[in-house]
Amino acid sequence: MAEIQVNGVSLYYEARGSGPSVVLVHGSWSDADSWARVVPGLAEQAAVVTYDRRGHSRSDDLLTQGSVYEDAADLAGLIQGLALGPAFVCGDSYGSLVALRLAAARPDLLRGLAVHEPPGTSMLLADPDLRPIATAFAGRIAAVRELLEQAESAAAAELFVESLAFGPGAWAQLPAPIRHTYIRNAPTYLDELRDPDALDLDLTALARYTEPALLTQSDDNAPMYGEVLDMIDLALPKAERHLYAGAGHAPHLSQPEEWVRVTLPRILG
């Protein structure tokens, strides 16, 4: 176990391998362990750092309202504190939004970026043609939030997994430790939902990020993610796309060998 003090909180992190530095940023509900299936493949040729975002699992929880800005600042502090910069940063889901925030705010800390299906629903609301897609997705989030507001963490976690993340029946198929992690970290998702800027991005600021960016999605997931990536793609000068077949919302879990095969060359490049 290792910890680093960043912005007034202690963050749990793990480091493995040697070579070009890469930091993996987990999504909502989960923690550093969610990357376990891809770390060995990356660590053969890169220095890989995973960490629990503030409030999650083994990292400090200040019990105050957090923000995506804090998460981005924590990522910056981690990169600087461990002397990793400029680093290649990979983000999954909400972790993608954190990584993209950092790219917009501190492009000097990144030499490359890979993000999978950022849930930037707020970005779509301004476009009348896309607003129905965002509204439908927000409706499913609202049902999860209602359970969280009632402190029904287990029910909320199950509904999130089956209606937003992985699909019907997925909760029972998850290993018990992962289900436990989701339930334990349930309050952090409510915290994210209470942050008005959590699911938005400043595309004008992001356009100043000029390093390579890999934007990925899966062909069996919500169309909303593709619309969000289209907007990000237009903003970034050096974006490229990759479409996973049948990988769902977490290809690093469902298809770890392909995820490494797609991502590692960008990290090394």
Side-chain angles (χ1 to χ4, degrees):
M1 293 181 61
E3 295 181 349
I4 184 173
Q5 292 292 322
V6 172
N7 301 319
V9 298
S10 177
L11 299 181
Y12 170 89
Y13 76 93
E14 298 178 4
R16 183 171 173 181
S18 61
S21 57
V22 54
V23 182
L24 310 181
V25 189
H26 67 81
S28 302
W29 304 80
S30 59
D31 58 24
D33 295 343
S34 66
W35 298 103
R37 294 184 179 180
V38 298
V39 167
L42 296 181
E44 292 179 359
Q45 300 184 63
V48 187
V49 172
T50 59
Y51 72 105
D52 295 348
R53 292 192 288 112
R54 66 165 62 202
H56 293 72
S57 297
R58 296 149 292 198
S59 290
D60 280 352
D61 186 352
L62 298 183
L63 300 178
T64 56
Q65 174 60 46
S67 75
V68 68
Y69 301 104
E70 288 178 340
D71 277 317
D74 288 349
L75 177 56
L78 181 77
I79 292 172
Q80 292 174 303
L82 297 179
L84 302 174
F88 194 100
V89 174
C90 301
D92 168 64
S93 191
Y94 186 82
S96 294
L97 292 175
V98 174
L100 289 162
R101 287 273 182 183
L102 182 62
R106 290 294 308 274
D108 57 300
L109 295 179
L110 276 65
R111 61 179 178 81
L113 185 68
V115 296
H116 183 74
E117 297 188 341
T121 52
S122 297
M123 301 167 58
L124 306 181
L125 293 175
D127 187 327
D129 293 331
L130 300 178
R131 192 176 301 137
I133 297 175
T135 301
F137 198 80
R140 286 186 278 163
I141 292 177
V144 175
R145 178 171 184 167
E146 183 177 354
L147 290 172
L148 290 172
E149 296 282 7
Q150 298 169 2
E152 297 285 350
S153 295
E158 181 175 355
L159 183 61
F160 173 83
V161 165
E162 302 210 345
S163 68
L164 289 162
F166 304 125
W171 179 252
Q173 297 176 17
L174 290 178
I178 294 179
R179 294 200 302 267
H180 175 74
T181 296
Y182 273 50
I183 294 170
R184 176 180 55 190
N185 289 334
T188 63
Y189 188 62
L190 181 58
D191 192 68
E192 291 168 7
L193 296 180
R194 289 172 172 170
D195 174 11
D197 296 328
L199 303 182
D200 202 0
L201 277 174
D202 183 345
L203 294 176
T204 301
L206 188 61
R208 295 193 288 269
Y209 176 73
T210 58
E211 297 300 322
L214 174 64
L215 313 179
T216 69
Q217 66 188 103
S218 296
D219 64 1
D220 59 346
N221 219 347
M224 183 272 296
Y225 294 114
E227 300 291 354
V228 171
L229 287 176
D230 286 346
M231 299 177 74
I232 295 170
D233 193 351
L234 289 173
L236 289 171
K238 292 183 181 179
E240 60 174 320
R241 303 285 286 269
H242 179 79
L243 182 67
Y244 289 99
H249 193 45
H252 61 291
L253 293 174
S254 62
Q255 299 180 9
E257 293 182 356
E258 182 180 357
W259 189 94
V260 171
R261 187 168 60 250
V262 169
T263 310
L264 185 57
R266 277 78 177 184
I267 294 171
L268 300 178

